[in-house]
Amino acid sequence: METRLEQLLNFLKDSPKDPFLKYALTMEYLKLGQTVEAKKGFDDLIQNDPDYIGTYYHFGKFLESEGQKEQAIVIYEQGIQIAQQKRNFHALGELKNALLMANGLLDEDD
């Protein structure tokens, strides 16, 4: 039986430009603790699928967990711009809250 990672890699062979599959693969790498592969996946999504809004929140959180808060803030700000352009208010709210937390202006309990 194939693992989820193997399934995603096989799906991606058939649809190598599918941003959802690339995102799902990146999140699977993250779940498996394969941070180098996860970082590559996030970088690819930002560069090649900048409108895939879900990337920004999770990439920012990943960067924060890696001790790269300044880079996370840049990613949150980029995501906020995309969310505003796309009028995706749910993502916009999440990204703004993440940015506030990264800047120490909001607690997770707020």
Side-chain angles (χ1 to χ4, degrees):
M1 186 161 164
E2 282 184 317
T3 65
R4 179 162 166 76
L5 180 61
E6 291 168 333
Q7 287 176 330
L8 290 167
L9 288 168
N10 284 329
F11 290 149
L12 207 54
K13 285 179 189 174
D14 293 333
S15 302
K17 295 188 185 264
D18 185 322
F20 174 76
L21 289 175
K22 292 193 295 185
Y23 175 79
L25 179 62
T26 298
M27 297 308 290
E28 187 65 16
Y29 282 133
L30 195 58
K31 182 176 116 182
L32 295 172
Q34 296 182 21
T35 57
V36 172
E37 292 300 319
K39 173 79 166 59
K40 287 179 191 175
F42 283 128
D43 287 335
D44 175 69
L45 282 160
I46 294 292
Q47 184 156 7
N48 297 309
D49 300 290
D51 289 345
Y52 197 80
I53 195 68
T55 302
Y56 295 90
Y57 178 86
H58 292 284
F59 191 17
K61 290 296 181 185
F62 168 77
L63 290 168
E64 284 189 78
S65 74
E66 294 290 303
Q68 299 176 33
K69 186 163 60 166
E70 294 304 316
Q71 184 60 31
I73 288 169
V74 169
I75 293 298
Y76 293 141
E77 289 171 344
Q78 289 174 355
I80 287 168
Q81 289 177 352
I82 300 290
Q84 287 172 331
Q85 291 169 4
K86 298 291 177 187
R87 301 181 59 77
N88 185 329
F89 300 112
H90 177 76
L92 181 61
E94 286 183 337
L95 287 162
K96 283 184 174 183
N97 282 341
L99 179 60
L100 288 170
M101 282 192 288
N103 282 317
L105 302 173
L106 182 69
D107 292 329
E108 286 197 40
D109 297 334
D110 291 343

